Amino acid sequence: MLAAGAVATGGAADLLPPEAPADIWSGSYWGIKRRGDQEIRLAVYRKRVGAPAPGQTAKPVLLLIHGSSPAALASFDLTVPGRDDYSMMNVFARLGYDVWTLDHEGYGRSSRTETNSDIASGAADLSVVTDLIAQETGQARMHMLGESSGALRAGAFAMVRPDRMGRLVLGAFTYTGEGSPTLTKRAEQVEFYRTHNRRPRDRAMLESIFTRDHPGTTDPVVARAFVEKEIVNGDTVPTGTYLDMTANLPVVDPARVMCPVLLIKGEYDGISAMEDLQKFFVRLPNGDRQLSVVGGAAHSIVLSRSYKAFHHIVQAFLTVPVASGSS
């Protein structure tokens, strides 16, 4: 059951929109999640070509969902000196999408609470934010892309809100966790995750995202830009997704994910294992499903040296006609 929530309307005067090149409009919003008497503010960001205006033809919506350690903008709107095509928000805005992302509870600019921001909490965040997006765009259904635990959040949401789903991209996804050396190692700390709601997340940890599986899969310039953009959000993050991924998998039932799905992983991913993905893939009920491997990438596909191939695969999946008639 998703937590009850209400959404704020209009722009957020006290939340800066993401930086944008001249051809792209950007905006920011607060989504309001309520837990009992507590009001939790979720930072929401938006990019598109051209400011939204009444009477316009609606653009397809793409919602990007971050993982366990970085917040939204370092993940999907990274500025690298001399280029902006590492910003997935910029790239897909130019491809014609109305692109949104959010900081989950306890991350980035969103409210920091006493909870551990687990996968169920992330699905509740998505309930609030998709209601906000529907309100602002008039689009009831939207495409979603999640990476790592963001894919788990998106999959958990898809199970309970099929009415909101267009097409779903699950990047670096984990079904049962079998065959994952990284999760086996991480499980040694499971008691810490059970007893603490936040974990340390310093520069060295952020840098290790790009080196722990297979060195050389991410340009060092990109890794440095990522660390500088994310470290301003502090040196701790919630433990909930780590706990779920080491002790509570599976959290997504493929039989309940009814929309078209793309499963995509990096060649050297130490968390997302191929045999595990195949078990999930064959249980998906929608025949419009794909399973792809991005050569030369590790767990972080979005910011790998193979990011252009990743963009190409995602765009092809979002636009190819589907046999079942799903949007």
Side-chain angles (χ1 to χ4, degrees):
M1 179 67 69
L2 297 183
V7 299
T9 59
D14 56 344
L15 177 65
L16 290 176
E19 295 181 4
D23 61 324
I24 293 178
W25 176 90
S26 66
S28 59
Y29 305 78
W30 290 117
I32 308 300
K33 182 169 75 169
R34 303 189 187 280
R35 184 182 296 115
D37 294 332
Q38 187 178 24
E39 181 178 284
I40 300 153
R41 300 207 305 176
L42 302 174
V44 183
Y45 311 98
R46 180 184 188 186
K47 283 189 168 184
R48 47 176 281 155
V49 172
Q56 289 180 333
T57 300
K59 297 175 182 287
V61 173
L62 175 61
L63 175 59
L64 307 174
I65 304 160
H66 70 76
S68 297
S69 295
L73 297 184
S75 300
F76 301 116
D77 195 38
L78 188 64
T79 300
V80 177
R83 60 197 310 172
D84 69 355
D85 58 351
Y86 273 100
S87 165
M88 194 166 183
M89 294 190 81
N90 288 349
V91 170
F92 277 79
R94 290 183 177 125
L95 287 171
Y97 295 89
D98 196 339
V99 187
W100 296 70
T101 190
L102 74 147
D103 292 334
H104 282 282
E105 179 181 347
Y107 290 84
R109 296 292 305 279
S110 292
S111 297
R112 296 203 172 186
T113 66
E114 296 304 312
T115 64
N116 69 356
S117 193
D118 60 7
I119 299 301
S121 172
D125 294 345
L126 294 177
S127 183
V128 170
V129 170
T130 56
D131 283 350
L132 169 61
I133 293 171
Q135 175 180 285
E136 292 294 316
T137 67
Q139 300 274 67
R141 292 180 180 270
M142 54 209 70
H143 305 315
M144 296 184 194
L145 181 151
E147 185 175 53
S148 190
S149 65
L152 291 171
R153 293 176 177 115
F157 177 76
M159 290 194 301
V160 294
R161 290 297 303 271
D163 58 306
R164 283 282 184 242
M165 301 305 300
R167 304 187 192 189
L168 175 61
V169 180
L170 301 178
F173 178 77
T174 308
Y175 179 29
T176 68
E178 293 180 8
S180 167
T182 302
L183 290 184
T184 299
K185 179 67 175 176
R186 194 174 291 172
E188 295 172 4
Q189 303 297 318
V190 69
E191 287 309 311
F192 178 88
Y193 308 142
R194 292 187 195 279
T195 55
H196 295 76
N197 285 338
R198 296 187 73 85
R199 60 181 171 85
R201 194 279 321 255
D202 59 9
R203 286 177 179 271
M205 186 274 151
L206 290 170
E207 291 168 355
S208 75
I209 293 172
F210 306 106
T211 59
R212 69 187 178 213
D213 294 336
H214 192 84
T217 56
T218 297
D219 188 326
V221 173
V222 174
R224 286 195 294 270
F226 168 86
V227 172
E228 293 304 317
K229 192 174 185 75
E230 179 58 33
I231 201 64
V232 298
N233 292 320
D235 59 3
T236 66
V237 287
T239 57
T241 58
Y242 268 31
L243 178 60
D244 280 337
M245 293 176 76
T246 54
N248 298 323
L249 292 177
V251 296
V252 180
D253 178 359
R256 295 176 59 194
V257 179
M258 308 306 296
C259 60
V261 175
L262 166 63
L263 292 167
I264 186 166
K265 72 179 291 292
E267 177 184 5
Y268 301 112
D269 194 330
I271 295 181
S272 182
M274 178 56 75
E275 187 174 347
D276 197 43
L277 287 183
Q278 289 171 332
K279 290 177 180 178
F280 187 87
F281 179 80
V282 299
R283 290 170 172 80
L284 289 166
N286 194 310
D288 294 306
R289 56 188 179 175
Q290 297 180 29
L291 174 58
S292 296
V293 176
V294 178
H299 189 63
S300 178
I301 322 171
V302 174
L303 297 178
S304 72
R305 293 183 188 271
S306 305
Y307 69 104
K308 290 185 179 180
F310 174 69
H311 292 166
H312 176 77
I313 294 167
V314 171
Q315 168 66 345
F317 171 71
L318 295 181
T319 55
V320 69
V322 293
S324 67
S326 300
S327 60

